Amino acid sequence: MLQNGVDLSVDLCGIRLRNPLILASGILGTSAALMERVGRGGAGAVTSKSCSPLPRAGHPNPTVIKWGPGFLNAVGLANPGVEAQVEILRETRRRLVDVGVAVIGSIFAETVEGFARVAETLSAAEPDLIEVNISCPNVAHELGAPFSSAPESAAAVTRAVKAATDIPIIVKLSPNVTDIAAIARAVEEAGADAIAAINTVSGMVIDIEAARPVLSNLEGGLSGPAIKPIAVRCVYQCYQAVSIPIVGIGGVSSGADAIEMIMAGARAVGVGSAVFWGGVEALGRIAQEMADFMSAHGYRCVSDMVGLAHRPSSWQPSSIEVGVATGRCI
């Protein structure tokens, strides 16, 4: 897709996105109508809310609070179950086929075998990609430690899902670990087609008048601009560890934020909390801001910028080198 004479399209696991901006899971991904609005508003792809083998009610309220430059949530992975999600994804694909927006189905489960079953069932909807959510921080009291907590468990889920579907999978990693690069390597070796970094950051807010945590779940996941430096650091470390594409997620609310994530090593960029402030047109605005920056700085395509921040510190930009950074757009 050409904007301001630059090519914003990217290849993600063989799927061509018109731009690198993806509606993150859990943000307006609950119905086909909402995902259609975001897609027509300028997204390159939309991700549905994570679904499980059976319907799940989630946590009682309060589940989401605005905190400073972000949100703290513990929705608890409420969803209608994979059977209902198949119909939602089919309808979403039908509504977006004329726009060329890719559709990503997101899954989670309580067991490795459950991940395989839900992936197999969801594949009937033929989403372009499947996000494997092994990293939600808000359900540990019920489901145990997230599978993203250790390389072995993360790899076990990845192998099971790969065996259950032919659709490319994106494994979503957690920042709440000591060494995210080691887990990225493990899921790549287990067959992941891409990784997403990051899920929300564990946190807590206490009401000092009530003298207790605000959220009913006590803990929640922090998202929004407050976590962007953490997300950029995680993407940077993963880029050094793996060769598969990375979807950078966490606090992106402007074209500059998206480009920062891409220069850290992301091939595509997830957008979530920005939709709350900017509406369904937020992704289209961010895409235009990216195109303006690229045109002003001589970048022809997104791939010219992927991983640029990894160059040696002795490197100095020049007007000639920036304009012909690489030979081929991917």
Side-chain angles (χ1 to χ4, degrees):
M1 177 180 182
L2 290 177
Q3 286 185 226
N4 290 16
V6 300
D7 184 2
L8 287 179
S9 69
V10 297
D11 180 281
L12 184 62
C13 307
I15 305 299
R16 198 73 189 172
L17 309 185
R18 61 177 178 171
N19 67 52
L21 301 174
I22 299 173
L23 175 69
S25 177
I27 309 294
L28 300 183
T30 55
S31 74
L34 285 172
M35 286 188 277
E36 179 189 13
R37 289 182 62 194
V38 179
R40 294 188 181 279
V46 295
T47 309
S48 65
K49 186 166 178 55
S50 297
C51 70
S52 49
L54 297 173
R56 180 179 164 84
H59 296 142
N61 286 319
T63 56
V64 183
I65 61 169
K66 187 178 183 306
W67 174 84
F71 292 92
L72 190 69
N73 92 83
V75 174
L77 293 171
N79 77 95
V82 67
E83 298 287 351
Q85 195 67 42
V86 166
E87 298 307 315
I88 292 172
L89 287 176
R90 282 175 172 157
E91 177 63 14
T92 304
R93 290 182 60 238
R94 187 188 68 77
R95 289 172 178 246
L96 288 173
V97 67
D98 65 313
V99 191
V101 173
V103 176
I104 303 172
S106 182
I107 63 170
F108 75 95
E110 300 180 20
T111 64
V112 172
E113 295 75 18
F115 269 99
R117 288 197 301 273
V118 72
E120 182 178 15
T121 304
L122 193 76
S123 297
E126 301 182 36
D128 295 289
L129 300 152
I130 293 178
E131 177 189 84
V132 184
N133 181 3
I134 61 172
S135 51
C136 177
N138 307 323
V139 290
H141 294 158
E142 304 149 81
L143 308 184
F147 290 95
S148 59
S149 299
E152 296 79 9
S153 54
V157 171
T158 303
R159 281 192 293 270
V161 173
K162 281 298 292 181
T165 182
D166 293 328
I167 295 172
I169 67 169
I170 307 168
V171 181
K172 192 171 189 177
L173 305 185
S174 170
N176 307 308
V177 296
T178 302
D179 187 357
I180 192 172
I183 297 168
R185 280 193 293 270
V187 300
E188 180 184 45
E189 291 169 1
D193 299 285
I195 61 171
I198 56 176
N199 211 316
T200 54
V201 179
S202 294
M204 177 184 287
V205 172
I206 292 176
D207 181 340
I208 60 173
E209 297 295 333
R212 59 154 290 131
V214 174
L215 295 176
S216 66
N217 189 57
L218 308 182
E219 302 175 14
L222 184 64
S223 60
I227 72 168
K228 196 192 74 175
I230 299 172
V232 170
R233 183 266 297 172
C234 288
V235 169
Y236 189 95
Q237 292 178 335
C238 289
Y239 184 79
Q240 292 176 319
V242 301
S243 58
I244 55 178
I246 300 168
V247 179
I249 307 172
V252 171
S253 59
S254 68
D257 292 342
I259 288 167
E260 184 179 1
M261 201 70 84
I262 289 167
M263 288 184 174
R267 178 77 59 85
V269 178
V271 178
S273 300
V275 176
F276 285 99
W277 289 291
V280 296
E281 297 81 14
L283 280 76
R285 171 184 56 78
I286 294 171
Q288 184 59 56
E289 291 173 359
M290 289 183 65
D292 293 343
F293 176 90
M294 292 168 65
S295 178
H297 292 75
Y299 296 110
R300 296 177 303 108
C301 52
V302 173
S303 58
D304 285 349
M305 304 186 294
V306 175
L308 273 186
H310 291 262
R311 287 178 298 191
S313 57
S314 59
W315 180 86
Q316 293 294 324
S318 70
S319 58
I320 296 175
E321 189 170 359
V322 166
V324 293
T326 63
R328 188 171 67 91
C329 294
I330 57 175

